[in-house]
Amino acid sequence: MDNNLITVTSPLLPPLEEFNEMIKEIYESKWITNNGQFHKRLEKALAEYLKVPFVSLFTNGTLPLITALQALRITGEVITTPYSFVATTHSLWWNGIKPVFVDIDPFTGNIAPDKIEAAITSRTTGIMPVHVYGKPCDTKGIQEIADRYGLKVIYDAAHAFGVEVNGKSILNAGDISTLSFHATKVYNTIEGGAMVMHDEQTKQRIDQLKNFGFVGETSVIAPGINSKMDEMRAAYGLLNLKQVDEAIEARHQVAVKYRNALRSVEGISFFDDMPGVKHNYSYFPIFVDSEKYGMKRDELYEKMKSENVLGRRYFYPLISEFSTYRGLESASPANLPNAHKMANSVICLPMHHALSDEDIERVLRCVVK
C-alpha cells in the first residue's frame, strides 16, 4: 500500500510571498475588518469575474443562505432538495421555515422541476434549488413555476463558482444566489461565502443585515447578524482569483483522464459535460451499480480507504434521513426514490488541481478491476 494519502480535495493556496505582502499592508493600516479596502476590492473583482451585477461577501457559505431568506422575508414552507449538504436545509430551520423535500432528476442530481408543482401549498413562499456538483439546474423550468405561483427562488450555488450556460452566469438566475468559499471549494478564501443579487437596493439591505442591521452609527433597522468577511480572507481571495482559471483547467484535465479510463467499466457511471455549459469541475462523482460492477458501493469505498485514497459518499445520507428532518411527511423514502438511489450509489473521487498523473493512476487502480 502506498502510504501517501490522496484526499478528495486540496485547497487552492495563494503565493505565500504575495500574501505576506498583503498581510503587512493590512497590519500597517490597522484596518482588519468592517468593509476595508481588500473587502471592497474583492467584491468588485468577483462581480466582474462572475459576470454578475452585485456581490456581498460573507464569513462563510451558510450565512448567505440564512440572510437571503431574511432579506426576501420568506416564511411558511420552502420547497427544496434532500440531495445536498445539510447547510441548505439548516438555513430554513434557522429561519423557522418548514422544508418540503421533492425528488431529484436522476440524470443531473438537481431538483426535478416536474416534482415541484405538486408540492406547492398555500403556505409555500419559495423554492431553494441546489446546483449539485456545479451542474446547472433547469433554471428556466423552475422560474416558470415560481412566476406562476408568485414564489421567490434562492439558489444554493455553493458548488457553482464560475459556471456559465451559453456564456451567461447561472448565478444570475432566481432572486438570489449564494456561494461558498470554503477551503474545499474550487475557489476559496479559507472560510467564506458570498451572495449575488440583481439590484443595489437589495445589496444595501443585505449589507445591513450582515452587520447587525446597522444603518449609520446609532440606528438598527432589522435584527441582523454578524457575518462580515475580514480583510485577511479578502486579500487571500484576491490572490486566489488570479489563479482560479488555471486550477479549473487542471481539474478539467483530471476529469478527462477519469472519464477516458472509466467509460468502459461496467457498473460505473458518471456525469459528462453538459452542452453549452462552462463547468468548474468541482467534483467527480461516480455511481456504482453493485449488480453490474460486482461490488457494493461501500465495499469499493472501503477498498479505496485501505489504499489511502479517500473518496467521499457525497451526499450520503440524504438530508431527509437526518433526525431533525426525518419526521417530515415529504422526507418519506417513497417520495424520494431517485435521491435515495443516487445517495446510495455515489462516491466522489479525489478531484483537485494538485493531483498528479501518479495520483490519478492510484485512484483508477482502485476502481478499474
Side-chain angles (χ1 to χ4, degrees), residues 50-343:
L50 296 170
K51 300 179 183 178
V52 299
F54 297 98
V55 170
S56 182
L57 292 172
F58 282 75
T59 193
N60 61 46
T62 302
L63 287 166
L65 286 169
I66 293 173
T67 306
L69 292 160
Q70 288 278 327
L72 297 180
R73 297 178 174 86
I74 292 178
T75 59
E77 297 176 356
V78 167
I79 295 169
T80 191
T81 173
Y83 194 72
S84 180
F85 187 63
V86 290
T88 306
T89 308
H90 282 356
S91 69
L92 300 171
W93 187 92
W94 277 100
N95 278 285
I97 297 166
K98 180 182 178 181
V100 176
F101 299 113
V102 301
D103 207 5
I104 62 173
D105 182 317
F107 301 106
T108 66
N110 293 328
I111 194 169
D114 62 354
K115 303 291 184 182
I116 292 174
E117 199 159 5
I120 296 172
T121 72
S122 60
R123 287 176 47 79
T124 306
T125 58
I127 307 170
M128 186 178 281
V130 179
H131 299 296
V132 176
Y133 307 129
K135 296 176 68 64
C137 290
D138 179 358
T139 56
K140 181 180 178 182
I142 291 169
Q143 194 61 52
E144 287 174 353
I145 295 169
D147 291 343
R148 194 178 307 138
Y149 291 91
L151 306 177
K152 299 292 186 181
V153 181
I154 298 173
Y155 280 97
D156 182 338
H159 295 176
F161 182 89
V163 176
E164 299 176 4
V165 178
N166 297 323
K168 297 181 180 180
S169 173
I170 63 169
L171 301 177
N172 286 314
D175 294 279
I176 283 174
S177 290
T178 69
L179 290 157
S180 170
F181 300 153
H182 184 264
T184 58
K185 300 299 188 288
V186 169
Y187 166 83
N188 81 89
T189 58
I190 306 174
E191 283 275 6
M195 190 187 302
V196 173
M197 63 288 294
H198 303 306
D199 60 88
E200 193 168 3
Q201 184 178 358
T202 302
K203 175 169 169 53
Q204 184 181 48
R205 175 164 170 77
I206 294 299
D207 288 347
Q208 291 164 352
L209 286 173
K210 75 178 184 185
N211 187 31
F212 305 99
F214 270 103
V215 177
E217 292 184 26
T218 59
S219 179
V220 174
I221 62 166
I225 196 168
N226 182 18
S227 52
K228 306 180 297 295
M229 180 181 284
D230 59 77
E231 286 290 270
M232 297 289 193
R233 283 183 285 178
Y236 188 103
L238 279 166
L239 292 175
N240 267 348
L241 194 58
K242 295 179 181 180
Q243 57 182 2
V244 70
D245 286 336
E246 183 179 346
I248 290 172
E249 179 53 30
R251 287 170 173 264
H252 179 202
Q253 294 308 313
V254 175
V256 169
K257 291 169 184 175
Y258 278 158
R259 287 170 180 158
N260 288 342
L262 296 174
R263 199 171 297 279
S264 61
V265 179
E266 190 173 8
I268 297 293
S269 59
F270 50 82
F271 295 127
D272 278 307
D273 286 354
M274 300 169 70
V277 174
K278 177 187 175 185
H279 292 276
N280 66 12
Y281 306 97
S282 53
Y283 295 88
F284 194 92
I286 63 170
F287 306 96
V288 182
D289 182 328
S290 57
E291 291 186 8
K292 293 180 179 178
Y293 186 63
M295 183 186 297
K296 293 180 180 179
R297 187 275 307 272
D298 288 351
E299 291 175 335
L300 176 57
Y301 174 73
E302 293 299 331
K303 176 187 175 184
M304 291 169 63
K305 283 175 65 177
S306 73
E307 298 293 334
N308 269 356
V309 175
L310 300 188
R312 188 168 183 183
R313 294 168 293 183
Y314 204 65
F315 303 100
Y316 168 84
L318 295 176
I319 299 173
S320 54
E321 291 293 287
F322 292 122
S323 58
T324 305
Y325 308 110
R326 194 182 300 144
L328 296 171
E329 182 180 351
S330 63
S332 169
N335 186 53
L336 308 167
N338 293 332
H340 275 274
K341 182 178 180 180
M342 191 166 284

